[in-house]
Amino acid sequence: MRSFWPLCLLLLLLAGCAVDVRTSPQAHLRLSPQVSRSALPADPVLPAPSPSAQPAGFVDAAAPLLPPADPAADLAEEDTDAVETDEEGVAADLDEEELDPETLEDNAALQAVDAAPPEEEGETVFLGENEFDFPLVDNEKVRYFVDYFSGPLKKHVRTWLERSTTYLPMMREIFAEQGLPKDLVYLAMIESGFNNKAYSRARASGQWQFIEGTGRVYGLSNDWWRDERRDPEKATRAAARHLADLYRMFDGDWYLALAAYNAGAGKIRKAIERYGTRDFWQLTHGSYLKKETKQYVPKMLAGLMIAKHPERYGFTDLAYQAPLAYEQAELPAATDIEVIARLAETDYETVKKLNPELKRWSTPPGVSAYPLRLPVGSGAAFAERYAQLPENERTNFVYHKVKKGDTPAALAKRYNVRADDILRFNKLRSNRALRVGQNLLIPLNPEAGKMALADLRESLRDDAPAAKGGKGGGKRYTVRRGDSLYKIARRFNVSEQQLRGWNGLRGNALKPGQSLVVAAGTGAGKANAAAKATPAARAGKGDVRKIVYQVRAGDSLWTIGRQFDVEASQIRGWNNLPRNPVLRPGQRLTLLVKSNSRG
């Protein structure tokens, strides 16, 4: 019977994920406007707690109860303090795109490694203020974190508060639908600072910091193409169901439920058995629970107090961000983000920001109705243009891992492309250059616009050996404690992408004592530098001419670069363009081309 209940639970959770949207017949895809929510149900009323008892919180009494939990099948049993990490507090096996400096700062601040709350909480007083719908108490540990958040961590907390309003309306509505206290949404501030890219040392991802296994139980997919733990709405729905399950599992005690959200239900059950008490504060007096779990509830309560009355704690003139607003389309097949951006008359970065779960340049293959967020006002035009787009123009590239027997000619026949294009796009010199396990970009539509090839190649790059030091190997640097790829790149005036390429790195993980190539030499770095050289550097000043090119309909930096034998990155540099610019017909671009170039 133990295997029966988890299966039923999973089926119930998956059945609850259906969402009604409107159909757009012109494009054979579904459009649904999603704008900020403001009209929310009235706050639930808390039952009056006993003065001597820890308040139990609130949940919808009519909600269906789940089967009794099996202690041997807890959802999150991992010991979060036992995970191997790098020096930035990020798990060493992180398979994500580059974490930006703001996210790295958030990750460090959220760990609160320098926090030292008192061992004893002192007198615990229930605050029965009407503006809170979550059971709030005050004691010395809570007051410590109020001071900590409004003191040493004030700069970070200010950013989190300003960022919170992007997601709070949506989160409150979802929590209200589940019968949860709407103030419980501020748990996302303690977990991630409301940052979709947050990634913890326990390999937890997204605003609600789901680990892989728990996210999967609650319907969150994570594969090479997407990580739905970073989808703000899907992850919030999963978090609401998980918190409701834990609340019922611990008989209506919110503090035990929160502790279990952090440490795992099994860990809290064992703590209760070991110490013979269900009082969270008493459980923190022993050594069984980790420091992070002991601090979790007082941090949440302190964060809630500040978030509800920021000016009371010195947070004035906050620049709150606008609520998340978008229109949603369900795509019938995998589509490149750049194609989506062009049809929606926006840019690549905007589409990525609205869809933070996407790890790559395309929506996932094999998904027939992928829900995609679009800027408000762009949905109808996007649907009409998408309906007119031939199926073979939805994707510009596919990913292929070389298998035994693969050749450029065989792959060209399979994908209906030219073998020469496969070789050129992957910088291969001959048919014999393929090796089993190699990652390739197959250019299905080589004449179409695309994001920078360097970015695509980086996401598919093979595990190349690090460049050797010594003769012709380039300058080397030994990693020190506290270093990050971002800091080292700035120190040596190179890009993080160059550092990864020279050293065969996939992500950000560095270890003290590790030796890195930090400057181009005659080995791996030389080839990299040559790829970035301007025409003047390659051909000599007398062989280069300056022209002004007028953009035509259908042009992209890549097609223009191919026409004049220059790199898209060079065109961006010459014209001070952003990373993924939207070109418009009639726009003028300055080019430095070789005299014998076409055009």
Side-chain angles (χ1 to χ4, degrees):
M1 291 296 291
R2 285 188 176 185
S3 62
F4 175 74
W5 284 119
L7 178 60
C8 292
L9 172 59
L10 181 58
L11 291 174
L12 286 170
L13 294 171
L14 293 175
C17 294
V19 181
D20 291 328
V21 293
R22 296 184 301 167
T23 301
S24 174
Q26 304 113 309
H28 302 290
L29 50 83
R30 307 170 79 186
L31 286 176
S32 176
Q34 303 286 332
V35 296
S36 60
R37 287 90 162 173
S38 56
L40 300 180
D43 289 349
V45 179
L46 283 169
S50 166
S52 61
Q54 180 175 299
F58 172 87
V59 76
D60 187 354
L65 291 177
L66 299 175
D70 182 353
D74 284 321
L75 297 175
E77 294 296 335
E78 286 79 355
D79 183 348
T80 58
D81 286 321
V83 179
E84 181 180 355
T85 64
D86 65 15
E87 292 305 307
E88 291 293 330
V90 179
D93 64 346
L94 177 61
D95 182 24
E96 305 281 343
E97 64 263 37
E98 182 75 12
L99 291 181
D100 57 273
E102 184 178 43
T103 299
L104 290 172
E105 285 190 16
D106 283 344
N107 286 347
L110 288 162
Q111 291 179 50
V113 292
D114 59 338
E119 291 293 328
E120 298 291 332
E121 67 276 2
E123 182 183 7
T124 296
V125 179
F126 174 65
L127 302 179
E129 299 182 53
N130 293 330
E131 67 263 33
F132 298 101
D133 71 346
F134 185 82
L136 188 65
V137 302
D138 185 29
N139 59 33
E140 290 185 18
K141 290 184 178 179
V142 175
R143 286 193 292 274
Y144 173 87
F145 279 105
V146 169
D147 294 339
Y148 182 73
F149 288 156
S150 57
L153 228 62
K154 186 172 185 177
K155 179 187 75 169
H156 299 285
V157 174
R158 183 180 187 88
T159 298
W160 301 343
L161 290 172
E162 292 176 340
R163 189 189 291 152
S164 70
T165 46
T166 303
Y167 306 102
L168 285 178
M170 173 268 292
M171 289 179 171
R172 284 175 174 148
E173 182 174 353
I174 289 173
F175 273 40
E177 289 171 359
Q178 290 289 324
L180 301 177
K182 288 185 287 185
D183 284 344
L184 187 56
V185 300
Y186 288 105
L187 185 64
M189 184 169 76
I190 304 305
E191 284 284 351
S192 66
F194 292 100
N195 187 337
N196 292 311
K197 288 187 175 183
Y199 194 92
S200 81
R201 57 187 179 147
R203 301 178 180 90
S205 179
Q207 290 194 40
W208 293 100
Q209 291 291 278
F210 277 100
I211 60 172
E212 181 89 22
T214 308
R216 187 164 52 248
V217 167
Y218 286 91
L220 300 177
S221 298
N222 180 31
D223 53 34
W224 197 81
W225 295 93
R226 60 181 164 174
D227 183 354
E228 291 183 336
R229 297 175 296 172
R230 299 190 333 189
D231 182 304
E233 185 165 347
K234 289 181 182 178
T236 298
R237 292 189 181 280
R241 294 196 300 273
H242 187 28
L243 286 165
D245 291 346
L246 292 172
Y247 177 80
R248 287 187 279 268
M249 192 179 296
F250 288 96
D251 301 323
D253 190 312
W254 269 123
Y255 293 178
L256 294 179
L258 290 182
Y261 190 93
N262 176 258
K267 186 83 170 179
I268 302 306
R269 277 206 192 93
K270 292 172 185 175
I272 292 172
E273 293 172 3
R274 174 172 295 203
Y275 295 115
T277 178
R278 295 177 55 84
D279 186 301
F280 168 78
W281 305 106
Q282 291 298 316
L283 295 179
T284 65
H285 294 166
S287 60
Y288 180 66
L289 295 181
K290 300 295 184 181
K291 173 183 175 183
E292 177 183 329
T293 305
K294 293 179 181 180
Q295 296 180 1
Y296 194 69
V297 172
K299 285 168 66 176
M300 164 61 186
L301 300 180
L304 175 57
M305 292 171 69
I306 292 173
K308 297 286 279 192
H309 297 288
E311 67 289 340
R312 185 181 297 175
Y313 303 98
F315 293 90
T316 57
D317 300 321
L318 293 172
Y320 287 119
Q321 297 178 12
L324 181 66
Y326 56 87
E327 294 181 359
Q328 185 165 288
E330 288 189 354
L331 302 186
T335 308
D336 278 11
I337 295 175
E338 190 183 49
V339 172
I340 294 166
R342 187 180 77 245
L343 297 180
E345 294 189 330
T346 185
D347 56 73
Y348 181 91
E349 292 300 330
T350 296
V351 177
K352 284 281 283 186
K353 187 175 182 180
L354 285 173
N355 299 274
E357 75 280 5
L358 294 177
K359 295 180 179 180
R360 311 298 173 188
W361 67 89
S362 169
T363 60
V367 181
S368 59
Y370 190 81
L372 186 89
R373 298 180 184 88
L374 298 169
V376 172
S378 65
F382 172 85
E384 183 177 351
R385 294 170 186 143
Y386 193 94
Q388 299 170 2
L389 186 71
E391 289 188 18
N392 63 353
E393 294 183 16
R394 291 172 180 168
T395 55
N396 296 325
F397 306 94
V398 295
Y399 157 78
H400 180 86
K401 185 179 285 289
V402 176
K403 301 174 183 176
K404 187 176 181 179
D406 280 344
T407 65
L411 294 176
K413 184 176 181 180
R414 174 179 174 181
Y415 291 105
N416 195 28
V417 298
R418 295 189 306 171
D420 287 346
D421 282 336
I422 296 177
L423 293 173
R424 179 167 52 82
F425 268 76
N426 294 279
K427 295 186 177 180
L428 301 175
R429 293 174 180 262
S430 69
N431 293 341
R432 294 188 298 273
L434 296 187
R435 66 180 188 276
V436 174
Q438 182 178 7
N439 297 321
L440 295 180
L441 283 172
I442 308 297
L444 300 183
N445 189 18
E447 297 301 328
K450 65 183 186 312
M451 63 180 287
L453 268 180
D455 296 331
L456 282 170
R457 291 184 178 119
E458 174 60 27
S459 69
L460 299 175
R461 190 181 52 76
D462 302 304
D463 287 320
K468 303 297 182 183
K471 184 179 179 181
K475 184 176 181 179
R476 303 193 73 93
Y477 172 77
T478 300
V479 177
R480 303 170 186 172
R481 184 176 180 85
D483 275 343
S484 68
L485 212 62
Y486 171 75
K487 292 177 182 176
I488 296 172
R490 290 193 65 182
R491 181 181 304 174
F492 292 99
N493 195 29
V494 296
S495 71
E496 293 166 67
Q497 181 178 314
Q498 285 174 307
L499 290 177
R500 285 196 297 270
W502 295 338
N503 295 279
L505 303 175
R506 274 197 177 277
N508 303 316
L510 299 176
K511 295 183 181 298
Q514 183 178 356
S515 179
L516 296 180
V517 175
V518 294
T522 57
K526 184 176 180 181
N528 199 307
K532 295 180 175 293
T534 64
R538 293 197 301 261
K541 293 183 178 180
D543 298 323
V544 174
R545 60 193 172 99
K546 176 179 177 181
I547 68 170
V548 176
Y549 177 81
Q550 188 166 338
V551 175
R552 304 168 188 169
D555 272 346
S556 69
L557 291 187
W558 182 79
T559 57
I560 298 170
R562 190 180 185 192
Q563 179 179 350
F564 294 98
D565 192 24
V566 296
E567 299 286 343
S569 59
Q570 294 169 346
I571 301 176
R572 287 202 309 271
W574 296 330
N575 295 274
N576 196 28
L577 297 175
R579 178 181 172 188
N580 296 291
V582 177
L583 301 183
R584 304 190 181 281
Q587 182 177 352
R588 294 177 178 273
L589 299 176
T590 298
L591 307 177
L592 299 176
V593 304
K594 290 183 288 188
S595 296
N596 60 355
S597 172
R598 294 168 292 173

